[in-house]
Amino acid sequence: MASSLMKDSPDSPGVPAGPEKTFFGHPRGLATLFMTEMWERFSFYGMRALLTIYLLSGGPDASKGLQGGGLAMDLATTTAIYSIYLSMVYLLALPGGWLGDRVWGPRKTVTIAACTIMLGHLTLALPGTGTFFAGLALVALGSGLLKANISTMVGHLYDGPNDPRRDGGFTVFYMGINIGAFFAPLIIGTVGEKYSWHLGFALAAVGMAIGLAAFLLGTKHLSPQSSRVPTPLSREERAAWLRKGLTWLLIAAVFYAAVVLSGNFTLNWAMVPLTLAGLAIPAAVLIRIKRDKELSATEQTKMSGYIWFFVAAAVFWMIYDQGGSTVQAFGTTKAADSLFGLSFPTSWYQSLNPVFIMALAPVIAWFWLWLNRRGQEPSTVVKFAAGLFFIGVSFFFFLIPLFLADGGTLVSPMWLVGIYLIQTVGELCVSPVGLSVTTKMAPAKYASQMMGVWFLAVTAGDSVTGLLSIGGVDLSRTGVVALEALLATAAGIAVFMYRRKVRALMGDIR
């Protein structure tokens, strides 16, 4: 609820500005960003809930008889497309942050991003394979542009990193993400899965349109800093970047035109380069930072420690993000679509994670504080190891319904509920800790870029999944699921066993 208080005007320090509305005790601009992010996540997660099901619809792996009108792809291709799409969303957050810092400023970048996302969903709403991939690319591009910049604007609302309201503001903002993510599959998923795929995609566009309207109407409440370009490109730099960009675009256009005209084009011509880029770019970014001679010896050591976290996080996200592909496909084709006599669209499985996050995040935060008061709170390294352990356990748990469904029996949806519950506990051990350790271990020179580097761990993990699927690996086979579970638990055990070495590399960070 809004309240009022006397506060100095941000434009005229020291001059009383009269009563100013706040949002749960936070700057009024947080409401604007909360609504924008909530509706953007509504559109993003609504489309994502439909993505795997739409790709499988009418295909050889859609054994439970989905409605027609989908792209009729097999599970391997579906998983590859889904994984590459997610990896590109997080990869594009890096240039998205760069454009906000050097070209448009955060506010203008978010406006352009929202328009791009809305256009992408409208393109998805048009029938046809070509329009589907064009729409998917636009949504990925817009999401990457928006992701880094809207979080930056939340930070601009507060008086520096030591403002006592800052952490609470990001918590409120985070709730907006999960509220949007929870309702999206229930609304967009139901309409798309039960009535019309393309109407579902159109509803995602409507959600983004509402978010964009909320943003534009509330921009007056944002910090003036959000409109500024922190380090603008010089005229020479702008010309050089434009020249390089157009050159590479021309090379790609000529190359792919030649492939298409020769009659040799397949999806792999697009997917393989994207997965390889999703692995090469994160590695190149880490190597560049690690080899920077301007870093102090302490910063170099911390970066060595951070690489452990990065690799572990990539393993975590490789398995976790299959909750929307491998696990969702299993729920769609091998699990019953009713529980306690009530039927439901299988896209609703994607609402489980956000509702579990909203329920468990306060509990786990309280648990860490309770242990801290007793001097028993585990270190960052141990929390990370626990997250990897839980994600491994979730796939060991997944083996049970896989065995039960082997004879063609439809298993209970509660098995899926259990998988998502265990994965959410793992996420709450890894994600907040990873964000925190990234900001704490970042070299001063790369302080503003390291959040983008953290997102690259998601890119790397999803790119591995995509590459395996392109290579023909059936990620729903019991042997492969068991191997992934072993990999995650082994990685968790390795991080735990080497915790003292990693903690030594972290220096004064705990």
Side-chain angles (χ1 to χ4, degrees), residues 388-389 392 396 484-497:
L388 283 166
F389 176 77
F396 278 126
E484 289 185 87
L486 282 170
L487 173 65
T489 50
I493 291 168
V495 170
F496 181 79
M497 294 292 290

Side-chain angles (χ1 to χ4, degrees), residues 157-228:
L157 297 172
Y158 299 95
D159 186 19
N162 296 321
D163 189 320
R165 301 171 300 166
R166 185 184 178 94
D167 287 350
F170 274 98
T171 300
V172 173
F173 180 72
Y174 190 58
M175 289 301 291
I177 293 173
N178 286 291
I179 291 170
F182 170 71
F183 284 107
L186 304 181
I187 299 171
I188 295 174
T190 301
V191 171
E193 191 176 344
K194 295 299 182 182
Y195 299 99
S196 165
W197 301 114
H198 299 290
L199 182 57
F201 293 137
L203 275 180
V206 171
M208 188 66 261
I210 296 172
L212 176 59
F215 181 74
L216 294 176
L217 289 172
T219 51
K220 60 181 178 292
H221 300 296
L222 301 177
S223 167
Q225 189 179 352
S226 297
S227 295
R228 301 187 189 116

Side-chain angles (χ1 to χ4, degrees), residues 286-287 289-310 381 437-438 440-444 446 450 498-510:
L286 287 173
I287 290 170
I289 296 174
K290 185 72 180 67
R291 289 184 174 179
D292 191 334
K293 291 183 170 55
E294 293 182 15
L295 301 188
S296 67
T298 301
E299 288 176 328
Q300 287 280 2
T301 301
K302 286 181 179 179
M303 275 306 300
S304 297
Y306 183 75
I307 289 171
W308 277 78
F309 288 106
F310 186 92
V381 184
V437 81
T438 296
K440 291 176 180 177
M441 296 179 72
Y446 297 98
M450 284 299 288
Y498 284 89
R499 65 191 182 280
R500 290 185 178 85
K501 179 179 179 179
V502 178
R503 285 177 64 180
L505 292 171
M506 291 170 68
D508 57 347
I509 305 300
R510 289 292 177 266

Side-chain angles (χ1 to χ4, degrees), residues 270-348:
M271 293 196 299
V272 172
L274 290 175
T275 53
L276 294 177
L279 291 171
I281 291 173
V285 169
L286 287 173
I287 290 170
R288 179 174 64 85
I289 296 174
K290 185 72 180 67
R291 289 184 174 179
D292 191 334
K293 291 183 170 55
E294 293 182 15
L295 301 188
S296 67
T298 301
E299 288 176 328
Q300 287 280 2
T301 301
K302 286 181 179 179
M303 275 306 300
S304 297
Y306 183 75
I307 289 171
W308 277 78
F309 288 106
F310 186 92
V311 173
V315 173
F316 177 89
W317 295 117
M318 179 186 75
I319 297 174
Y320 176 88
D321 277 345
Q322 288 183 60
S325 55
T326 309
V327 180
Q328 174 66 57
F330 177 84
T332 300
T333 59
K334 302 294 178 62
D337 57 3
S338 63
L339 188 63
F340 307 125
L342 299 173
S343 61
F344 59 92
T346 58
S347 54
W348 285 17

